[in-house]
Amino acid sequence: MLARVETIAARHGVRIATIAHAGDGNLHPLLVTPPGDDAARIAAQAAFEDFLDAAIEFGGTVSGEHGIGLLKRGGMRRELDPGAITMQESVRRALDPRGIFNPGKG
């Protein structure tokens, strides 16, 4: 996976460091872009999506101890089968029938 991260970073022209506890397989890619550089931000986001796809391809997951946020939502939908997504949506509706927890982020 670390070799793939390097390949993805080079393909997108993004500076990247893989930090934290990579030894246990839980990678934390840190993408470094100049502040205010929209082209660099877009390239970094594309690279991040490729990282998620590589994790799935290698049999891993897009999630770690931090869970799924807005950046990983698409990757989670690519990783899980439709039945698992439906189950998660059902649990959310059961626990939050009025849709007040994280509105607009379901």
Side-chain angles (χ1 to χ4, degrees), residues 5-46:
V5 167
E6 287 184 18
T7 300
I8 292 167
R11 183 170 63 244
H12 290 280
V14 175
R15 285 185 47 203
I16 182 162
T18 304
I19 59 171
H21 42 96
D24 68 2
N26 190 351
L27 305 179
H28 292 274
L30 173 65
L31 294 93
V32 181
T33 61
D37 185 336
D38 284 340
R41 179 186 52 78
I42 291 167
Q45 287 174 327

Short mmCIF file of all heavy atoms in Angstrom, two decimals, residues 5-46:
data_model
loop_
_atom_site.label_atom_id
_atom_site.label_comp_id
_atom_site.label_asym_id
_atom_site.label_seq_id
_atom_site.Cartn_x
_atom_site.Cartn_y
_atom_site.Cartn_z
N VAL A 5 0.70 4.34 -2.55
CA VAL A 5 0.54 5.74 -2.14
C VAL A 5 1.55 6.61 -2.87
O VAL A 5 1.21 7.68 -3.38
CB VAL A 5 0.67 5.89 -0.61
CG1 VAL A 5 0.83 7.34 -0.21
CG2 VAL A 5 -0.55 5.28 0.08
N GLU A 6 2.80 6.14 -2.96
CA GLU A 6 3.83 6.90 -3.67
C GLU A 6 3.48 7.06 -5.15
O GLU A 6 3.63 8.14 -5.73
CB GLU A 6 5.20 6.22 -3.53
CG GLU A 6 5.80 6.37 -2.16
CD GLU A 6 7.19 5.76 -2.08
OE1 GLU A 6 7.83 5.53 -3.15
OE2 GLU A 6 7.65 5.51 -0.97
N THR A 7 2.98 6.00 -5.76
CA THR A 7 2.60 6.05 -7.17
C THR A 7 1.45 7.03 -7.39
O THR A 7 1.47 7.82 -8.33
CB THR A 7 2.19 4.64 -7.65
OG1 THR A 7 3.30 3.75 -7.49
CG2 THR A 7 1.74 4.65 -9.10
N ILE A 8 0.45 6.98 -6.52
CA ILE A 8 -0.70 7.88 -6.63
C ILE A 8 -0.26 9.32 -6.44
O ILE A 8 -0.68 10.21 -7.19
CB ILE A 8 -1.79 7.49 -5.61
CG1 ILE A 8 -2.41 6.14 -5.99
CG2 ILE A 8 -2.86 8.57 -5.50
CD1 ILE A 8 -3.28 5.52 -4.90
N ALA A 9 0.57 9.57 -5.45
CA ALA A 9 1.06 10.93 -5.20
C ALA A 9 1.79 11.47 -6.42
O ALA A 9 1.57 12.62 -6.82
CB ALA A 9 1.95 10.94 -3.97
N ALA A 10 2.64 10.66 -7.02
CA ALA A 10 3.39 11.10 -8.20
C ALA A 10 2.45 11.35 -9.38
O ALA A 10 2.61 12.35 -10.10
CB ALA A 10 4.43 10.04 -8.58
N ARG A 11 1.48 10.48 -9.56
CA ARG A 11 0.54 10.63 -10.68
C ARG A 11 -0.26 11.94 -10.57
O ARG A 11 -0.53 12.60 -11.57
CB ARG A 11 -0.41 9.44 -10.75
CG ARG A 11 -1.36 9.51 -11.94
CD ARG A 11 -2.16 8.23 -12.17
NE ARG A 11 -3.04 7.91 -11.07
CZ ARG A 11 -2.94 6.83 -10.31
NH1 ARG A 11 -1.97 5.96 -10.51
NH2 ARG A 11 -3.79 6.61 -9.34
N HIS A 12 -0.59 12.33 -9.37
CA HIS A 12 -1.39 13.55 -9.16
C HIS A 12 -0.54 14.77 -8.85
O HIS A 12 -1.07 15.87 -8.70
CB HIS A 12 -2.41 13.32 -8.04
CG HIS A 12 -3.50 12.39 -8.41
ND1 HIS A 12 -4.58 12.76 -9.17
CD2 HIS A 12 -3.67 11.06 -8.15
CE1 HIS A 12 -5.38 11.74 -9.34
NE2 HIS A 12 -4.85 10.68 -8.74
N GLY A 13 0.78 14.59 -8.73
CA GLY A 13 1.66 15.71 -8.42
C GLY A 13 1.40 16.28 -7.03
O GLY A 13 1.46 17.49 -6.82
N VAL A 14 1.16 15.38 -6.07
CA VAL A 14 0.81 15.78 -4.70
C VAL A 14 1.92 15.37 -3.75
O VAL A 14 2.44 14.25 -3.84
CB VAL A 14 -0.53 15.11 -4.28
CG1 VAL A 14 -0.86 15.39 -2.85
CG2 VAL A 14 -1.65 15.55 -5.20
N ARG A 15 2.28 16.26 -2.84
CA ARG A 15 3.21 15.90 -1.76
C ARG A 15 2.43 15.16 -0.70
O ARG A 15 1.36 15.60 -0.27
CB ARG A 15 3.84 17.15 -1.15
CG ARG A 15 4.90 17.77 -2.01
CD ARG A 15 5.60 18.93 -1.35
NE ARG A 15 5.97 18.60 0.02
CZ ARG A 15 6.18 19.52 0.96
NH1 ARG A 15 6.05 20.79 0.70
NH2 ARG A 15 6.53 19.16 2.17
N ILE A 16 2.99 14.04 -0.25
CA ILE A 16 2.27 13.23 0.74
C ILE A 16 3.24 12.61 1.73
O ILE A 16 4.36 12.23 1.38
CB ILE A 16 1.44 12.13 0.07
CG1 ILE A 16 0.67 11.35 1.10
CG2 ILE A 16 2.29 11.21 -0.76
CD1 ILE A 16 -0.46 10.57 0.55
N ALA A 17 2.78 12.51 2.96
CA ALA A 17 3.48 11.76 4.00
C ALA A 17 2.46 10.79 4.60
O ALA A 17 1.31 11.14 4.78
CB ALA A 17 4.01 12.70 5.07
N THR A 18 2.89 9.58 4.85
CA THR A 18 2.02 8.63 5.54
C THR A 18 2.49 8.60 6.98
O THR A 18 3.61 8.20 7.28
CB THR A 18 2.10 7.23 4.90
OG1 THR A 18 1.77 7.38 3.51
CG2 THR A 18 1.12 6.28 5.53
N ILE A 19 1.64 9.07 7.87
CA ILE A 19 2.03 9.30 9.26
C ILE A 19 1.27 8.37 10.20
O ILE A 19 0.37 7.65 9.80
CB ILE A 19 1.79 10.77 9.65
CG1 ILE A 19 0.31 11.13 9.49
CG2 ILE A 19 2.64 11.70 8.81
CD1 ILE A 19 -0.07 12.48 10.05
N ALA A 20 1.63 8.43 11.45
CA ALA A 20 0.98 7.73 12.57
C ALA A 20 1.32 6.25 12.55
O ALA A 20 2.46 5.90 12.26
CB ALA A 20 -0.52 7.99 12.59
N HIS A 21 0.39 5.40 12.83
CA HIS A 21 0.68 3.99 13.09
C HIS A 21 0.48 3.11 11.87
O HIS A 21 -0.33 2.19 11.85
CB HIS A 21 -0.14 3.49 14.28
CG HIS A 21 -1.56 3.96 14.27
ND1 HIS A 21 -2.60 3.22 13.78
CD2 HIS A 21 -2.11 5.13 14.70
CE1 HIS A 21 -3.72 3.89 13.90
NE2 HIS A 21 -3.46 5.05 14.45
N ALA A 22 1.25 3.37 10.82
CA ALA A 22 1.17 2.58 9.59
C ALA A 22 1.60 1.13 9.83
O ALA A 22 1.22 0.26 9.07
CB ALA A 22 2.03 3.21 8.50
N GLY A 23 2.36 0.87 10.88
CA GLY A 23 2.83 -0.48 11.15
C GLY A 23 1.71 -1.47 11.39
O GLY A 23 1.86 -2.66 11.14
N ASP A 24 0.55 -1.00 11.85
CA ASP A 24 -0.57 -1.92 12.05
C ASP A 24 -1.55 -1.87 10.88
O ASP A 24 -2.65 -2.41 10.96
CB ASP A 24 -1.29 -1.63 13.38
CG ASP A 24 -2.02 -0.30 13.41
OD1 ASP A 24 -2.03 0.43 12.40
OD2 ASP A 24 -2.60 0.02 14.46
N GLY A 25 -1.15 -1.22 9.78
CA GLY A 25 -1.99 -1.18 8.59
C GLY A 25 -3.00 -0.05 8.58
O GLY A 25 -3.78 0.08 7.65
N ASN A 26 -2.99 0.77 9.59
CA ASN A 26 -3.93 1.89 9.67
C ASN A 26 -3.19 3.14 9.20
O ASN A 26 -2.47 3.77 9.96
CB ASN A 26 -4.42 2.04 11.11
CG ASN A 26 -5.57 3.00 11.23
OD1 ASN A 26 -5.92 3.70 10.30
ND2 ASN A 26 -6.15 3.05 12.40
N LEU A 27 -3.35 3.46 7.94
CA LEU A 27 -2.59 4.55 7.34
C LEU A 27 -3.28 5.89 7.53
O LEU A 27 -4.50 5.98 7.48
CB LEU A 27 -2.40 4.29 5.84
CG LEU A 27 -1.76 2.96 5.47
CD1 LEU A 27 -1.65 2.85 3.96
CD2 LEU A 27 -0.40 2.81 6.12
N HIS A 28 -2.47 6.92 7.69
CA HIS A 28 -2.97 8.28 7.79
C HIS A 28 -2.23 9.12 6.75
O HIS A 28 -1.21 9.72 7.07
CB HIS A 28 -2.72 8.85 9.20
CG HIS A 28 -3.52 8.20 10.26
ND1 HIS A 28 -4.80 8.60 10.57
CD2 HIS A 28 -3.24 7.18 11.10
CE1 HIS A 28 -5.27 7.85 11.56
NE2 HIS A 28 -4.34 6.98 11.89
N PRO A 29 -2.74 9.16 5.52
CA PRO A 29 -2.04 9.97 4.52
C PRO A 29 -2.23 11.45 4.81
O PRO A 29 -3.33 11.91 5.06
CB PRO A 29 -2.71 9.56 3.21
CG PRO A 29 -4.05 9.05 3.61
CD PRO A 29 -3.90 8.47 4.98
N LEU A 30 -1.13 12.17 4.79
CA LEU A 30 -1.16 13.62 4.98
C LEU A 30 -0.79 14.25 3.65
O LEU A 30 0.33 14.13 3.18
CB LEU A 30 -0.15 14.02 6.06
CG LEU A 30 0.05 15.52 6.26
CD1 LEU A 30 -1.23 16.17 6.79
CD2 LEU A 30 1.20 15.77 7.21
N LEU A 31 -1.77 14.88 3.03
CA LEU A 31 -1.57 15.53 1.75
C LEU A 31 -1.27 17.00 1.99
O LEU A 31 -2.05 17.68 2.65
CB LEU A 31 -2.81 15.36 0.87
CG LEU A 31 -3.06 13.91 0.48
CD1 LEU A 31 -4.00 13.24 1.45
CD2 LEU A 31 -3.59 13.84 -0.92
N VAL A 32 -0.16 17.46 1.47
CA VAL A 32 0.30 18.82 1.72
C VAL A 32 0.08 19.65 0.45
O VAL A 32 0.61 19.31 -0.61
CB VAL A 32 1.79 18.84 2.11
CG1 VAL A 32 2.26 20.24 2.39
CG2 VAL A 32 2.03 17.93 3.31
N THR A 33 -0.70 20.72 0.59
CA THR A 33 -0.95 21.62 -0.54
C THR A 33 -0.74 23.06 -0.09
O THR A 33 -0.95 23.39 1.08
CB THR A 33 -2.38 21.47 -1.08
OG1 THR A 33 -3.31 21.80 -0.05
CG2 THR A 33 -2.65 20.06 -1.56
N PRO A 34 -0.35 23.90 -1.00
CA PRO A 34 -0.20 25.32 -0.65
C PRO A 34 -1.56 25.94 -0.32
O PRO A 34 -2.54 25.68 -1.02
CB PRO A 34 0.39 25.95 -1.92
CG PRO A 34 0.92 24.83 -2.74
CD PRO A 34 0.07 23.63 -2.38
N PRO A 35 -1.63 26.75 0.70
CA PRO A 35 -2.89 27.41 1.04
C PRO A 35 -3.42 28.24 -0.13
O PRO A 35 -2.66 28.95 -0.79
CB PRO A 35 -2.53 28.31 2.23
CG PRO A 35 -1.26 27.76 2.77
CD PRO A 35 -0.55 27.13 1.62
N GLY A 36 -4.70 28.11 -0.40
CA GLY A 36 -5.34 28.90 -1.44
C GLY A 36 -5.13 28.41 -2.86
O GLY A 36 -5.63 29.03 -3.80
N ASP A 37 -4.43 27.31 -3.04
CA ASP A 37 -4.17 26.77 -4.37
C ASP A 37 -5.26 25.76 -4.71
O ASP A 37 -5.19 24.59 -4.34
CB ASP A 37 -2.78 26.12 -4.41
CG ASP A 37 -2.37 25.65 -5.79
OD1 ASP A 37 -3.25 25.39 -6.64
OD2 ASP A 37 -1.16 25.53 -6.02
N ASP A 38 -6.29 26.22 -5.43
CA ASP A 38 -7.43 25.36 -5.74
C ASP A 38 -7.04 24.17 -6.60
O ASP A 38 -7.56 23.07 -6.42
CB ASP A 38 -8.55 26.14 -6.41
CG ASP A 38 -9.33 27.00 -5.43
OD1 ASP A 38 -9.27 26.73 -4.21
OD2 ASP A 38 -10.01 27.95 -5.88
N ALA A 39 -6.13 24.36 -7.55
CA ALA A 39 -5.70 23.25 -8.40
C ALA A 39 -5.02 22.17 -7.56
O ALA A 39 -5.26 20.97 -7.77
CB ALA A 39 -4.77 23.75 -9.51
N ALA A 40 -4.19 22.58 -6.61
CA ALA A 40 -3.51 21.61 -5.74
C ALA A 40 -4.53 20.90 -4.84
O ALA A 40 -4.40 19.69 -4.60
CB ALA A 40 -2.45 22.31 -4.89
N ARG A 41 -5.53 21.62 -4.36
CA ARG A 41 -6.57 21.01 -3.53
C ARG A 41 -7.34 19.96 -4.33
O ARG A 41 -7.60 18.85 -3.84
CB ARG A 41 -7.53 22.08 -3.00
CG ARG A 41 -8.67 21.51 -2.14
CD ARG A 41 -9.68 22.58 -1.75
NE ARG A 41 -10.19 23.35 -2.87
CZ ARG A 41 -11.13 22.93 -3.72
NH1 ARG A 41 -11.65 21.72 -3.60
NH2 ARG A 41 -11.54 23.71 -4.72
N ILE A 42 -7.70 20.29 -5.55
CA ILE A 42 -8.44 19.34 -6.39
C ILE A 42 -7.59 18.11 -6.69
O ILE A 42 -8.08 16.98 -6.63
CB ILE A 42 -8.91 20.05 -7.69
CG1 ILE A 42 -9.99 21.07 -7.35
CG2 ILE A 42 -9.39 19.04 -8.72
CD1 ILE A 42 -10.32 22.04 -8.46
N ALA A 43 -6.30 18.31 -6.97
CA ALA A 43 -5.40 17.17 -7.20
C ALA A 43 -5.28 16.31 -5.96
O ALA A 43 -5.28 15.07 -6.04
CB ALA A 43 -4.02 17.67 -7.64
N ALA A 44 -5.19 16.94 -4.78
CA ALA A 44 -5.08 16.19 -3.53
C ALA A 44 -6.35 15.39 -3.27
O ALA A 44 -6.29 14.24 -2.82
CB ALA A 44 -4.79 17.13 -2.37
N GLN A 45 -7.50 15.97 -3.56
CA GLN A 45 -8.76 15.24 -3.35
C GLN A 45 -8.85 14.05 -4.29
O GLN A 45 -9.30 12.97 -3.89
CB GLN A 45 -9.95 16.18 -3.54
CG GLN A 45 -10.10 17.14 -2.37
CD GLN A 45 -11.19 18.17 -2.59
OE1 GLN A 45 -11.45 18.62 -3.71
NE2 GLN A 45 -11.84 18.55 -1.51
N ALA A 46 -8.41 14.21 -5.53
CA ALA A 46 -8.40 13.09 -6.47
C ALA A 46 -7.45 12.00 -6.00
O ALA A 46 -7.77 10.80 -6.07
CB ALA A 46 -8.02 13.58 -7.87
#
